[in-house]
Amino acid sequence: MAYAITYTEFGGPEVLTYTEVPDPSPGAGEVTVRVEAAGVNPVDGKLRKGLRATGDITEPRRVGADGAGVVTAVGEDVDGFRPGDAVAFFGATGAYATDVVVSAARVFPRPANVSAAEGAAVGVPAGTAYQALRSLGVRTGDTVLVHAGSGAVGQAAIQFAVLWGATVIATTSDRRAERVRALGATPVRYGQGLVERVRESAPGGVTAILDAAGTDEAIEASLALLADRTRIATIVRGRDAAGWGIRAFGGGVVTPLSAQQLAWRSEAVPVTLALIAAGAFSVELGPSFALADAAAAHGALEAGADGKVTLVA
């Protein structure tokens, strides 16, 4: 038998239960992966709390979308994978598990020098950052402001923007400033006077802004710093974005992502894996927990743990 993390009611981390489940079997176009590491993302907690509209719970719900491991079985009509292949995946239903079935379109080869934890850290953060910056048209010559630069999405956004030739400024705490600087951005402290500090760091102005913080301060500063609201995006305050005239790529967004934007999210995974393997992209790994300790992992994430929280086999 396999094991998975499930919940049968909305609530705090304590509702997460280590549950015995049937061994998964891949259907056509699917592969089964023995999970070595699963990424713990903020959206997992929001779903667990019932903060996203997902309807009533009528059966145990699985948790997690991102992971990495080894292929154990391949369904019909799947080319390019065989048992024993090291892979990373995104968009799964229930990645917090010992074994999971995933659409082969969402599974990618994992280079030998990319660990399972690194692979599991890629999907949501890198996919979101990559798609958001592509949607904003970030390119050489831009000056990009990233709010929440030390978070997983923020760190990915800094690195992609720098790789694409942009100058990057990122908001952060004093404690996390050196991490942001190491990724190639100029750190700017949160708090009163934020707009003035950004202007001092970018005397020529900023030309694109990505909000991964979702605070009123981040939104107000963004609106004050850039007149072209088509080049301001939030991944947190999606339901409020239209009222400000800015773009939204998450956070309860009303307008779904386009086919192109979904394609960018998928494209980001193999791109990022290759960059990690080449030493050109850094994943900051945080605390790791055994699968059965998923509740503690959620607690650590919600307490603000530094780096990517993972569940490991």
Side-chain angles (χ1 to χ4, degrees):
M1 296 290 285
Y3 290 87
I5 300 300
T6 66
Y7 60 96
T8 57
E9 61 180 324
F10 297 121
E14 70 278 358
V15 304
L16 299 177
T17 304
Y18 185 65
T19 308
E20 190 173 11
V21 296
D23 289 324
S25 179
E30 297 177 330
V31 301
T32 299
V33 178
R34 174 66 49 82
V35 180
E36 296 178 332
V40 179
N41 292 301
V43 69
D44 301 340
K46 293 175 183 177
L47 291 168
R48 186 205 73 228
K49 294 175 184 177
L51 299 180
R52 295 288 175 85
T54 56
D56 295 335
I57 299 176
T58 58
E59 60 183 7
R61 287 194 179 173
R62 301 279 293 269
V63 192
D66 298 339
V70 175
V71 173
T72 56
V74 178
E76 295 181 2
D77 303 322
V78 173
D79 294 321
F81 294 108
R82 61 183 179 181
D85 286 347
V87 296
F89 61 84
F90 80 105
T93 300
Y96 294 13
T98 56
D99 304 85
V100 66
V101 169
V102 189
S103 167
R106 296 179 174 181
V107 179
F108 300 94
R110 176 164 51 91
N113 60 340
V114 176
S115 70
E118 289 173 321
V122 169
V124 167
T128 302
Y130 186 94
Q131 172 266 308
L133 295 182
R134 287 295 192 205
S135 297
L136 290 171
V138 170
R139 56 194 177 273
T140 299
D142 272 323
T143 298
V144 181
L145 172 61
V146 177
H147 290 291
S150 65
V153 174
Q155 291 194 31
I158 289 169
Q159 293 179 85
F160 287 133
V162 169
L163 285 167
W164 300 343
T167 298
V168 184
I169 297 164
T171 63
T172 186
S173 64
D174 287 338
R175 185 178 65 82
R176 298 286 282 155
E178 286 310 308
R179 174 61 182 172
V180 166
R181 194 187 313 277
L183 297 177
T186 299
V188 175
R189 178 173 49 84
Y190 297 123
Q192 186 174 1
L194 174 60
V195 170
E196 289 71 23
R197 287 191 293 277
V198 172
R199 286 177 173 154
E200 289 174 3
S201 297
V206 297
T207 57
I209 301 175
L210 177 60
D211 164 47
T215 61
D216 289 343
E217 176 189 63
I219 297 298
E220 290 166 4
S222 299
L223 299 177
L225 287 163
L226 184 56
D228 183 359
R229 297 189 178 186
T230 67
R231 299 204 80 199
I232 303 174
T234 181
I235 63 165
V236 186
R237 300 284 293 273
R239 294 192 181 279
D240 303 320
W244 296 313
I246 67 175
R247 304 174 73 182
F249 305 125
V253 61
V254 176
T255 304
L257 296 177
S258 68
Q260 176 61 80
Q261 290 166 341
L262 291 171
W264 279 327
R265 291 209 174 187
S266 179
E267 178 181 289
V269 178
V271 167
T272 306
L273 292 171
L275 288 170
I276 295 170
F281 192 100
S282 172
V283 171
E284 182 185 28
L285 294 176
S288 62
F289 298 83
L291 177 63
D293 295 327
H298 274 221
L301 180 70
E302 292 172 6
D306 292 343
K308 184 69 179 182
V309 177
T310 55
L311 298 172
V312 296

